[in-house]
Every structure is written in structure tokens, then in C-alpha cells.
């Protein structure tokens, strides 16, 4: 549905040009939620803004449902933008307008008749479950409610695509949950395709089908959410995921100094979850294994999780135990 190939966006600063997006190619299927993660300055926002030409790409191709986006003239581009909604970290609502008027705004721009606007706004208020707030002003809403209004406004013209640039980043966990649920419902009920930038691991895990990792303007890795978190291919992604882990409320950072033995992070998926791998190691290799911390997740219908363990014993035996774990299909990361 969305095809991006060899996209480049250069900025020129004081005569020097700089590639914020550097030869990026990817595709997103209809009804998919595609996540983009990466450090600050990686080029995520610039990439996403190129999709509706809020930034004009320097080079490359973008096709959406067969339409060559970069070939559109101004008028056709404005028309095409109806198909692409966008939400932002700080909601960008009109503070002097009521919830109703905020949602009605894109329809007024499109010169919809009044009755049609009213019908559509009520439908959207129902969709975001905020029917009782139609006359409220944004200042009287929680962050999550504001973002749901922003989603309703973005969905007003029934776009095929919704772009979210850190749409849940400014919210507490409960409001994040509500917005995530609204986004899921958008895909489920309206078959919208979502591209979302996020730095919240829980959000990425919970909602994305696939994730791209950006660094220095490039996509350095792309995978399904379970494979990316279970077995990141590049060092940068591993580091990035570790940095996310540290901010994950469920997993405090490990103090590696505290441990005498090898410290391993074992990640397993639905194929390895139920296997008695640790007990086999203890029996067969005469090592001791101390459980440090762990977590289980459910992504759609698949379970996956990790366990941080300390392995003590004869170095040869420890190595054999490690090889055995790898053979069984567990992804082993040596932390110490
Ligand atoms: N209009 C601009 N002019 C010049 N440089 C820009 C412009 N917009 C972005 N950049 C630069 O492009 C790079 C990528 O910026 P971008 O905002 O896309 O990063 P990001 O991955 O979204 O970061 P963050 O996570 O902080 O939002 C940065 O180095 C930024 O300074
Ligand atoms: Mg950004």
C-alpha cells in the first residue's frame, strides 16, 4: 500500500548539506501498524513528514495505493492529504475551539454541508468514546482525551493512512493505554494503515506489527515486533533496546557488578517458552543458575519473554551450558 524507495531528504545549513533521510526504502501493507524507532535526531520525523510532503524529499519515490506522491501538483497533493491523517506528541488542538469544532475543522475546510459535518462529528465522538465532551474546550480534557480528539480530527476525512509522531509520548500509562486502544480500534474497524514513531517500548510491543530502526537517516534493521525484541540483529538495535529497557518500569537496570558469574539475558519465544532448558543445564552441566529478573509478554497470540540469569560454575561447563541454550533456540545475550 505504501512503497518508499531510495528516499533522500537533504537539509542545507550554512552551505553544508546534510542527509536527515539517507536512501531509505520500505513498504507498509494495508491495515498494518508499522513502527519507527531510533535515537533522537535519527530522522524519524523527517521521514514521516516526507510521506505527505510536509517535507519535500530531495530524491526517491513514494507510492501510496499506486499514486506517485512526488509527481502530484499542489492541487492534487492537497486532495491526496485527505487520505493521510496525522497526530503529534503535543496534540496540536485549537485551544479556542470546542471539541466539536476541533473535529469539524477539516470538514469545514473541505466545505462539507453543516448537517453532514454534524453527523460525521457525532460519529467520531462516538468512535473515540467522548460523546459527553463535545462542548468542552481542550483545557478541560486529560492528555489522553486530547489525543483522542486529535485522532478523531485526523480521521474526520476517513484517511487511509494515519501517521503518529510520538502520539502517546506525552501521556501517563493509563492515558497511553486509552490512546493505544483507540489506535487499535482504528485499524480494526476502519482498516486504516498506521505508521507510528514511538520511543515507548511497551507501546511498540503492544501495537506494532513490524518495526523499523533508524540511525543516522537510515533504516538499519526492520523486523516483526517479536523478532526485533527477541533477537535484534545489529549492535545498535541491541543498545537501543537496552536503553529502552532501562526506562521500562517493569525492568530495573541490572547492576552487573553485583554478580560473580556469567550474566545472561535469555529471550524465548512461543517455541522455547515451555521447554525445561534451565533445569537441563543444571543437571547436565553441573552449573548453578540464579534467576535475576524476568518478564513475559503476549504479542497478539504469541508469547515471548526474557529472563536475566547468573550462571556459576566451571568455565568450560558454563560455556557448554551456554551453547546448549543456543542450540535449543533460546536467544542468548551475554551481559557479563
Ligand atoms: N528543517 C530542518 N532544517 C535543518 N535540519 C533539520 C530540519 N529538520 C530536521 N533537521 C535535522 O535532521 C535530523 C533528523 O531530525 P528529525 O527531527 O527527523 O529526527 P527524529 O528522529 O524525529 O528525532 P526526535 O526523536 O528527537 O524527534 C536532525 O539532525 C535535525 O536537526
Ligand atoms: Mg521526531
Amino acid at each position: 500500500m505504501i512503497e518508499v524507495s531510495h528516499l533522500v531528504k537533504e537539509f542545507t545549513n550554512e552551505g553544508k548539506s546534510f542527509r536527515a533521510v539517507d536512501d531509505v526504502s520500505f513498504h507498509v501493507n494495508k491495515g498494518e501498524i508499522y513502527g519507527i524507532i531510533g535515537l533522537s535526531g535519527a530522522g524519524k520525523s523527517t521521514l514521516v513528514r516526507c510521506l505527505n510532503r510536509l517535507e519535500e524529499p530531495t530524491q526517491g519515490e513514494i507510492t501510496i495505493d499506486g499514486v506517485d506522491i512526488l509527481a502530484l501538483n499542489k492541487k492534487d497533493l492537497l486532495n491526496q492529504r485527505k487520505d493521510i491523517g496525522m497526530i503529534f506528541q503535543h496534540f496540536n488542538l485549537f485551544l479556542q475551539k470546542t471539541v466539536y469544532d476541533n473535529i469539524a475543522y477539516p470538514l469545514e475546510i473541505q466545505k462539507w454541508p453543516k448537517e453532514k459535518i454534524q453527523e460525521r462529528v457525532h460519529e467520531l465522538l462516538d468512535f473515540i468514546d467522548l460523546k459527553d465532551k463535545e462542548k468542552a474546550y481542550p483545557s478541560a480534557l486529560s492528555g489522553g482525551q486530547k489525543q483522542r480528539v486529535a485522532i478523531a480530527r485526523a480521521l474526520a476525512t476517513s484517511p487511509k493512512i494515519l501517521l503518529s509522531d510520538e502520539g502517546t509520548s506525552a501521556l501517563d500509562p493509563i492515558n497511553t493505554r486509552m490512546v493505544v486502544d483507540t489506535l487499535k480500534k482504528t485499524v480494526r474497524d476502519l482498516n486504516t494503515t498506521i505508521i507510528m514513531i514511538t520511543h515507548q517500548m511497551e507501546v511498540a510491543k503492544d501495537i506494532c506489527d513490524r518495526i523499523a530502526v533508524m540511525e543516522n537517516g537510515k533504516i538499519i534493521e526492520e523486523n516483526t515486533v517479536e523478532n526485533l525484541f527477541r533477537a535484534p540483529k545489529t549492535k545498535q538495535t541491541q543498545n537501543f533496546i537496552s536503553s529502552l529497557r532501562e526506562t521500562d518500569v517493569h525492568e530495573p537496570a541490572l547492576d552487573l557488578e553485583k554478580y560473580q558469574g556469567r550474566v545472561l539475558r535469555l529471550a524465548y519465544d512461543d517455541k522455547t517458552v515451555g521447554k525445561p532448558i534451565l533445569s537441563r543445564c543444571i543437571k547436565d552441566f553441573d552449573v548453578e543458575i540464579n534467576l535475576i529478573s524476568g518478564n513475559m509478554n503476549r504479542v497478539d497470540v504469541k508469547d515471548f519473554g526474557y529472563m536475566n540469569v547468573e550462571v556459576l560454575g566451571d568455565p568450560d561447563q558454563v560455556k557448554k551450558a551456554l551453547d546448549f541454550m543456543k542450540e535449543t533456540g533460546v536467544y542468548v545475550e551475554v551481559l557479563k
Side-chain angles (χ1 to χ4, degrees):
M1 144 158 244
I2 304 172
E3 281 286 343
V4 173
S5 71
H6 302 294
L7 194 75
V8 173
K9 173 64 190 178
E10 266 173 16
F11 290 113
T12 308
N13 260 341
E14 294 168 2
K16 273 200 217 130
S17 75
F18 159 77
R19 285 192 169 194
V21 176
D22 189 2
D23 195 19
V24 163
S25 303
F26 66 101
H27 76 273
V28 183
N29 302 316
K30 183 150 187 64
E32 191 174 28
I33 305 187
Y34 188 83
I36 301 177
I37 63 175
L39 298 175
S40 183
K44 305 178 297 293
S45 297
T46 309
L47 172 61
V48 163
R49 289 163 59 82
C50 283
L51 298 179
N52 54 6
R53 283 175 57 188
L54 287 177
E55 294 288 359
E56 283 295 342
T58 312
Q59 248 172 261
E61 279 175 45
I62 301 170
T63 318
I64 296 179
D65 268 350
V67 176
D68 178 352
I69 298 298
L70 304 188
L72 298 176
N73 61 29
K74 240 189 171 142
K75 182 165 155 280
D76 291 340
L77 177 63
L78 286 178
N79 218 15
Q80 174 72 29
R81 283 203 185 130
K82 276 189 282 181
D83 277 342
I84 310 178
M86 191 155 183
I87 59 167
F88 305 89
Q89 182 170 1
H90 297 296
F91 325 123
N92 294 19
L93 294 176
F94 302 109
L95 300 178
Q96 304 83 348
K97 286 184 193 281
T98 61
V99 165
Y100 182 100
D101 289 336
N102 265 282
I103 301 175
Y105 182 76
L107 304 173
E108 283 163 2
I109 299 269
Q110 302 283 327
K111 303 206 166 38
W112 281 36
K114 253 201 158 82
E115 321 75 74
K116 283 257 173 235
I117 291 184
Q118 193 180 41
E119 197 182 311
R120 180 71 180 138
V121 173
H122 285 148
E123 201 174 277
L124 289 156
L125 282 167
D126 193 29
F127 182 78
I128 57 166
D129 206 11
L130 282 180
K131 271 202 282 204
D132 53 333
K133 298 285 182 196
E134 101 171 52
K135 296 197 176 70
Y137 285 86
S139 57
L141 303 179
S142 74
Q145 289 171 337
K146 281 183 208 160
Q147 195 60 292
R148 277 146 65 203
V149 173
I151 292 173
R153 186 180 61 181
L155 294 178
T157 53
S158 305
K160 295 180 196 154
I161 300 167
L162 182 64
L163 306 175
S164 166
D165 191 347
E166 302 277 9
T168 54
S169 301
L171 306 175
D172 63 35
I174 291 169
N175 280 297
T176 295
R177 177 84 264 144
M178 288 201 264
V179 170
V180 162
D181 286 345
T182 306
L183 293 174
K184 281 185 177 171
K185 190 167 148 196
T186 305
V187 172
R188 194 183 61 224
D189 296 359
L190 311 174
N191 203 22
T192 312
T193 304
I194 298 183
I195 297 186
M196 58 185 300
I197 298 172
T198 182
H199 69 260
Q200 292 162 292
M201 179 161 70
E202 312 78 50
V203 172
K205 268 185 184 167
D206 187 17
I207 196 174
C208 296
D209 297 302
R210 285 186 302 142
I211 292 183
V213 184
M214 278 194 86
E215 189 183 71
N216 295 331
K218 292 186 183 291
I219 292 184
I220 55 165
E221 186 164 352
E222 184 198 60
N223 216 330
T224 58
V225 68
E226 59 266 37
N227 284 339
L228 190 96
F229 282 105
R230 186 172 52 85
K233 284 186 214 128
T234 60
K235 195 79 213 154
Q236 292 95 318
T237 307
Q238 285 171 23
N239 290 343
F240 183 65
I241 289 177
S242 312
S243 73
L244 288 176
R245 274 183 201 135
E246 281 165 26
T247 60
D248 185 343
V249 286
H250 304 298
E251 189 187 2
L254 282 183
D255 178 9
L256 292 173
E257 296 297 309
K258 257 182 23 198
Y259 302 98
Q260 311 292 316
R262 268 268 133 94
V263 179
L264 308 177
R265 180 184 177 89
L266 310 175
Y268 27 65
D269 57 16
D270 49 338
K271 290 181 221 63
T272 45
V273 141
K275 291 189 184 167
I277 294 162
L278 296 186
S279 57
R280 282 279 306 278
C281 282
I282 295 169
K283 273 195 210 138
D284 294 359
F285 305 107
D286 195 25
V287 291
E288 265 187 67
I289 298 181
N290 298 323
L291 177 61
I292 301 169
S293 55
N295 189 9
M296 282 298 300
N297 285 284
R298 184 150 252 265
V299 174
D300 277 340
V301 291
K302 292 190 192 111
D303 286 325
F304 75 97
Y306 74 89
M307 205 185 270
N308 292 323
V309 296
E310 179 186 25
V311 187
L312 294 153
D314 175 74
D316 279 349
Q317 294 298 90
V318 170
K319 179 163 186 321
K320 280 186 191 155
L322 220 146
D323 290 341
F324 168 75
M325 290 178 198
K326 286 182 184 162
E327 266 168 41
T328 59
V330 176
Y331 178 75
V332 182
E333 188 183 341
V334 180
L335 302 178
K336 184 187 171 186

